[in-house]
Structures are given as structure tokens and as C-alpha cells.
């Protein structure tokens, strides 16, 4: 997002800062990646049996990892509209399917390159997920719709 803002500003005639260069964004590529069907490493044992429904990965952010690889940062949640448990059309449908506790985690998956179809290191990102504790006793808990961008040598999650 930051790069596209700078590209747009440069295209509108604003000068680039010293050391910056205008780089056209690459054309779109369809990645043959499938998020693993196994639960991510570090997923709480108390949730593995399905008492709170089916957890699904979605809303990915893509972070460059150098060498052609990248990292996906995803929401892993039982609040979803997948119909593996029957159609869930409303908040109430989701709450019922989740046994009264809608929960979300932030997970990561490292991908070696554009031809990698499975990735590696599928895990809950505990340092981020811990900032938004999950509770089996709450109606809604955990991070809602996290996004990530590379920022100044680190990762900014919002």
C-alpha cells in the first residue's frame, strides 16, 4: 500500500526523494498455493476437537520475504461463511456453529516462491495473537480482520 501511494504521487508529478526510484508494479500472478488443511502449529489443544466449529484461514496479507519467497499473514477464525457445517448467513448462525464463542487468531505461512503449492511454517503468530486474547467464554474474541504490511524492516499489523 505504501509503494502504491508513492507510485501514484510520482505519477502525479511529485518529486521522488533522494535514493528513491519509480518502479512499476509487477503484473498479477496467480499462485497455486493451498493453505494446509492441518491446524496451524501452536493452535490451542482445547480447540482441536471442534467444539467451537470449523476454523478457516482467510483475508491474507502478502509480505515479501526476499529471494522470491514471501510470507502470508492470515486470519484463522471460526467466524466465517464457509458452508462445511451448513449455511451460515448471519452473525447468529456463526455464533451457534461456534458453540457460542467466535474466535480468531493471526497465523503465518511461509511460501518459497511462485511455484510453491504448500508453503511451510504454518503456525499461529503468538506474539500478535496474544495482544487480542481468545476466550472460549466470550461471544467474540481475538483479532478482528488483521492486516499486515512490511514497514521499516519489520511488520506492522493493524
Amino acid at each position: 500500500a505504501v509503494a502504491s501511494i508513492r507510485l501514484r504521487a510520482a505519477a502525479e508529478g511529485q518529486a521522488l526523494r533522494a535514493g528513491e526510484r519509480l518502479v512499476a508494479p509487477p503484473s498479477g500472478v496467480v499462485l497455486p498455493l493451498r493453505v494446509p488443511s492441518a491446524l496451524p502449529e501452536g493452535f490451542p489443544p482445547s480447540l482441536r476437537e471442534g467444539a467451537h466449529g470449523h476454523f478457516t484461514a482467510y483475508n491474507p496479507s502478502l509480505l515479501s520475504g526476499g529471494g522470491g519467497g514471501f510470507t502470508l499473514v492470515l486470519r484463522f477464525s471460526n467466524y466465517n461463511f464457509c458452508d462445511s457445517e451448513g449455511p451460515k448467513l448471519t452473525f447468529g448462525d456463526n455464533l451457534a456453529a461456534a458453540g457460542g464463542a467466535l474466535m480468531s487468531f493471526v497465523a503465518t505461512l511461509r511460501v518459497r516462491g511462485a511455484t510453491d503449492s504448500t508453503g511451510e511454517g504454518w503456525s499461529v503468530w503468538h506474539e500478535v495473537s496474544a495482544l487480542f486474547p481468545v476466550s472460549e467464554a466470550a461471544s467474540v474474541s481475538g483479532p478482528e480482520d488483521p492486516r499486515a504490511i512490511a514497514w521499516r524492516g519489520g511488520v506492522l499489523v493493524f
Side-chain angles (χ1 to χ4, degrees), residues 39 42-52 55 103 105 134-136:
L39 294 171
F43 190 70
S46 63
L47 300 176
R48 292 180 180 269
E49 299 302 318
H52 292 287
F55 283 76
M103 297 173 268
F105 299 87
V134 167
S135 169
E136 293 181 58

Side-chain angles (χ1 to χ4, degrees), residues 50 53 67 80 86 131 138 149 154:
N80 56 67
L131 299 172
I149 59 171

Side-chain angles (χ1 to χ4, degrees), residues 15-41:
L16 294 172
R17 294 183 206 128
E20 286 185 325
R21 59 190 171 96
L22 184 60
V23 179
S27 61
V29 176
V30 176
L31 301 173
L33 179 70
R34 182 178 281 285
V35 173
S37 58
L39 294 171
E41 182 181 321

Side-chain angles (χ1 to χ4, degrees), residues 33-118:
L33 179 70
R34 182 178 281 285
V35 173
S37 58
L39 294 171
E41 182 181 321
F43 190 70
S46 63
L47 300 176
R48 292 180 180 269
E49 299 302 318
H52 292 287
H54 176 76
F55 283 76
T56 302
Y58 57 100
N59 295 347
S61 295
L62 184 70
L63 303 174
S64 174
F70 54 89
T71 298
L72 287 173
V73 176
L74 308 112
R75 180 180 184 186
F76 193 66
S77 179
N78 62 350
Y79 186 10
N80 56 67
F81 294 94
C82 301
D83 61 4
S84 61
E85 302 157 332
K88 296 185 283 185
L89 304 176
T90 67
F91 176 83
D93 293 343
N94 265 283
L95 193 58
L102 295 170
M103 297 173 268
S104 296
F105 299 87
V106 177
T108 60
L109 177 66
R110 288 184 308 280
V111 181
R112 293 179 293 273
T115 60
D116 184 0
S117 62
T118 57

Side-chain angles (χ1 to χ4, degrees), residues 7-18:
L7 287 172
R8 196 169 331 135
E12 292 170 358
Q14 292 181 15
L16 294 172
R17 294 183 206 128

Side-chain angles (χ1 to χ4, degrees), residues 119-144:
E120 61 188 15
W122 175 226
S123 62
V124 171
W125 191 357
H126 289 289
E127 295 83 2
V128 175
S129 292
L131 299 172
F132 307 93
V134 167
S135 169
E136 293 181 58
S139 296
V140 178
S141 62
E144 181 181 335

